[in-house]
Amino acid sequence: MTAHIDASKFLDPRVAAFVSGRHAMLIGGQWLPAASGRTLDVLDPSSGKVIAAVPAGEGADVDLAVKAARKAFSGPWSSMVPAERAKLIWRLADLIEQHVDMLGPINSYECGKPIGDSRNGEVPFTAETFRYYAGWATKLNGESMTINAPGDWHAYTRREPVGVVGQIIPWNFPLAMLAWKVAPALATGCTIVLKPAEQTPIGALYFGKLVEEAGIPEGVVNIVTGFGEAAGAAMSGHPDIDKIAFTGSTEVGKMIARAATGNLKKVSLELGGKAPTIVLADADVEMAVAGASSAAFFNAGQSCGAGTRFFVHRKIYDKVMAGVAERAEKLRLGPGLDPSSELGPVVSQQQMERITRLICEGKSSGAEIVTGGGRAGDTGYFVKPTIISNTTRDMSVIREEIFGPVACAMPFDDEDLDALARDANDTEYGLAASIWTNNLGAAHRLAAKIKSGTVWINCHNFNDVTMPFGGFKQSGWGRELGAQALDLYTQTKTVAIRLP
Ligand code: NAI
Ligand code: MG
């Protein structure tokens, strides 16, 4: 634990100048304030201090952005040959990489994560995602069919862009979430209205400058900053948006699905999770300790794939628990911008309060705190890395997504894979899971029984741009990343010709 340090002292003056400067939204190639003139404050989560103000966009601003996106869709973007589009997306990837000295610190400043995770993790992954989808722009082909009816026929399919897409993203990986959505949409020829989370809009606005610099035609990428209840809701219900892609809470995901029924826009949702981390008796204890700790504490637990329910074989339970608790207690808490910080704050007061409330509910219903157990310090939004034991299946700490550095641990005695899978699957979520073992048979058998979109074996939170990611059950609809993300942004047209 460290004493409070003012994050701004780690700021490069160029980053500080951009963050505290005047911010506007990118709409139709122009930088505009909100029509209402209103702004919203952005805070440094390590101090709670206001670091910037951005436009608080609402319905009128969304309307303007949708008009610009529609114009670009029926204009330059869809008439551009794919190879040209690919070049522009590749150029954007290069610019993201070249601007790591701005994007990295901006990202860590506004969302609080350790600077190394931004500079060496999220920013390069963001660039890589654009590069990967740049490659796909030239590989979107239809197919031809052999027709059964008598006569001479020629039939084929075309893969056409869905049109104007609304993309609503969260604050936990502000740049990676932007890339997972914007890159495949650009590759397929869609145009975009992007709404970053109200907590982390600054990186997205900086990205907007790179979009311009890359030479992407105006109106193709529009960025509307604002609150979810105003700008986000206006997008979900908008009659001229053809598709919404959303990452965030299951609660808001359901609201978006309902709002989308007006024009039956396509919807893809990447929602919450409550991933099990399953450690079998034969697992390498050291590897499992490191893996379970990072599954729970990486990004201060603010990851939809976070491993928040440990199931550990009784034979090694005490060893694993002791190892995880030792790591938790050694983690150095501090502002993301301080290079010596290993665990940043959570993003907001609201999130901190939600996490500490859930920990308290666990305690008062009989769970035991192995380590951690509440807020750290009294400045900023730091939460102690926390492990909870003695839980029962009905406790809110076991049922709800906590989205903080908190995990619950449960021993199991019998390596009956069906029983293990039943416990692991005892959640409304189904995003991810990890299994720690050297037993190949058990690993694959259990992987097949787990109801989640991703199963990691001897790793956790491992995402690669080639691997589809998304949820079973209430963790969402659709798959992002990989070739499957292209399906979210294209629709198939069948053309059948009777040859004269
Ligand atoms: P949220 O779901 O409210 O926010 C995510 C995005 O949705 C933001 O851009 C927000 O402005 C927008 N939004 C909010 N209300 C909206 C509405 N009515 N219509 C359209 N868009 C709307 O998530 P929040 O409140 O920040 O966090 C609450 C919980 O959600 C977290 O504790 C966590 O459990 C979960 N969450 C999950 C994420 C994931 O990666 N799956 C990411 C962020 C939050
Ligand atoms: Mg919310």
Side-chain angles (χ1 to χ4, degrees):
M1 209 80 33
T2 72
H4 177 67
I5 298 169
D6 183 5
S8 59
K9 82 172 204 202
F10 297 101
L11 268 189
D12 179 284
R14 282 183 318 142
V15 178
F18 181 77
V19 170
S20 63
R22 217 184 156 75
H23 293 291
M25 304 186 287
L26 179 60
I27 299 180
Q30 289 185 290
W31 289 93
L32 302 174
S36 69
R38 279 199 276 271
T39 60
L40 67 88
D41 287 341
V42 182
L43 310 183
D44 163 10
S46 71
S47 67
K49 286 191 190 139
V50 175
I51 57 172
V54 302
E58 294 174 12
D61 309 288
V62 169
D63 281 345
L64 213 57
V66 172
K67 279 204 186 87
R70 180 61 61 193
K71 193 167 157 219
F73 182 70
S74 37
W77 197 235
S78 37
S79 57
M80 188 181 284
V81 297
E84 272 308 305
R85 231 167 40 225
K87 253 191 239 170
L88 293 177
I89 303 169
W90 193 279
R91 195 179 295 159
L92 184 54
D94 285 345
L95 285 167
I96 291 166
E97 221 164 53
Q98 286 157 20
H99 285 253
V100 63
D101 290 341
M102 293 295 288
L103 285 170
I106 290 172
N107 196 49
S108 281
Y109 199 18
E110 62 180 343
C111 81
K113 74 182 65 195
I115 184 69
D117 291 351
S118 288
R119 290 187 60 100
N120 312 324
E122 193 167 349
V123 175
F125 188 24
T126 299
E128 198 50 44
T129 305
F130 279 95
R131 221 166 255 141
Y132 173 81
Y133 285 106
W136 270 114
T138 51
K139 294 161 194 75
L140 294 165
N141 299 313
E143 30 184 25
S144 65
M145 277 71 67
T146 309
I147 298 303
N148 288 308
D152 291 329
W153 295 87
H154 175 49
Y156 62 94
T157 58
R158 292 164 49 85
R159 270 185 107 174
E160 296 187 358
V162 164
V164 173
V165 303
Q167 304 186 318
I168 302 176
I169 57 173
W171 40 262
N172 53 340
F173 296 96
L175 298 174
M177 293 300 101
L178 177 156
W180 289 21
K181 291 197 169 33
V182 173
L186 288 178
T188 51
C190 293
T191 57
I192 295 160
V193 178
L194 173 76
K195 195 203 83 64
E198 47 270 48
Q199 297 86 347
T200 55
I202 305 171
L205 294 175
Y206 193 85
F207 166 80
K209 290 162 59 76
L210 303 182
V211 167
E212 284 191 310
E213 198 178 329
I216 291 174
E218 60 183 44
V220 171
V221 177
N222 304 277
I223 304 174
V224 176
T225 51
F227 291 106
E229 299 73 17
M235 287 165 66
S236 328
H238 203 289
D240 202 32
I241 289 184
D242 301 303
K243 178 206 160 57
I244 290 274
F246 170 75
T247 297
S249 61
T250 293
E251 180 196 358
V252 172
K254 288 179 183 177
M255 290 165 70
I256 287 173
R258 280 193 289 270
T261 58
N263 68 339
L264 278 185
K265 54 172 67 72
K266 315 280 182 279
V267 176
S268 54
L269 305 169
E270 203 260 89
L271 308 175
K274 193 79 185 168
T277 304
I278 305 169
V279 185
L280 301 188
D282 74 293
D284 176 319
V285 170
E286 235 168 86
M287 194 204 257
V289 164
S293 309
S294 133
F297 305 141
F298 171 64
N299 213 39
Q302 303 168 117
S303 158
C304 46
T308 52
R309 291 179 301 139
F310 297 170
F311 296 93
V312 184
H313 195 282
R314 176 97 54 196
K315 227 175 80 186
I316 52 171
Y317 180 80
D318 289 341
K319 266 197 219 156
V320 171
M321 281 305 99
V324 172
E326 191 191 338
R327 278 177 176 260
E329 282 150 23
K330 277 196 186 142
L331 279 174
R332 198 178 146 87
L333 270 68
L337 287 175
D338 178 346
S340 71
S341 301
E342 294 169 324
L343 187 74
V346 298
V347 77
S348 64
Q349 171 141 4
Q350 195 189 346
Q351 286 302 113
M352 181 180 72
E353 283 169 0
R354 178 192 154 91
I355 297 162
T356 49
R357 169 181 60 80
L358 282 162
I359 296 174
C360 282
E361 283 177 16
K363 270 195 261 187
S364 61
S365 53
E368 253 171 58
I369 305 296
V370 177
T371 185
R375 185 178 184 184
D378 54 9
T379 315
Y381 314 130
F382 292 91
V383 176
K384 291 180 195 161
T386 299
I387 302 291
I388 302 177
S389 66
N390 257 344
T391 52
T392 53
R393 64 178 296 280
D394 51 304
M395 290 182 187
S396 56
V397 275
I398 283 289
R399 305 241 66 88
E400 286 188 38
E401 180 176 55
I402 301 179
F403 233 60
V406 182
C408 298
M410 290 148 277
F412 64 87
D413 291 297
D414 183 7
E415 216 152 274
D416 168 350
L417 298 186
D418 286 311
L420 253 181
R422 203 178 318 117
D423 289 343
N425 291 334
D426 183 16
T427 165
E428 69 192 25
Y429 296 113
L431 194 62
S434 68
I435 303 169
W436 299 79
T437 181
N438 290 311
N439 179 339
L440 207 56
H444 287 298
R445 280 193 198 98
L446 195 49
K449 293 176 198 290
I450 300 279
K451 293 191 172 69
S452 71
T454 294
V455 178
W456 290 296
I457 295 170
N458 295 329
C459 59
H460 198 111
N461 274 334
F462 170 68
N463 288 308
D464 187 90
V465 68
T466 60
M467 299 185 340
F469 187 78
F472 279 31
K473 301 198 282 187
Q474 294 196 37
S475 289
W477 291 347
R479 294 292 177 270
E480 296 190 298
L481 296 185
Q484 289 203 13
L486 302 162
D487 297 339
L488 303 179
Y489 296 101
T490 52
Q491 48 193 348
T492 299
K493 178 182 283 172
T494 304
V495 181
I497 309 158
R498 181 158 62 193
L499 299 180

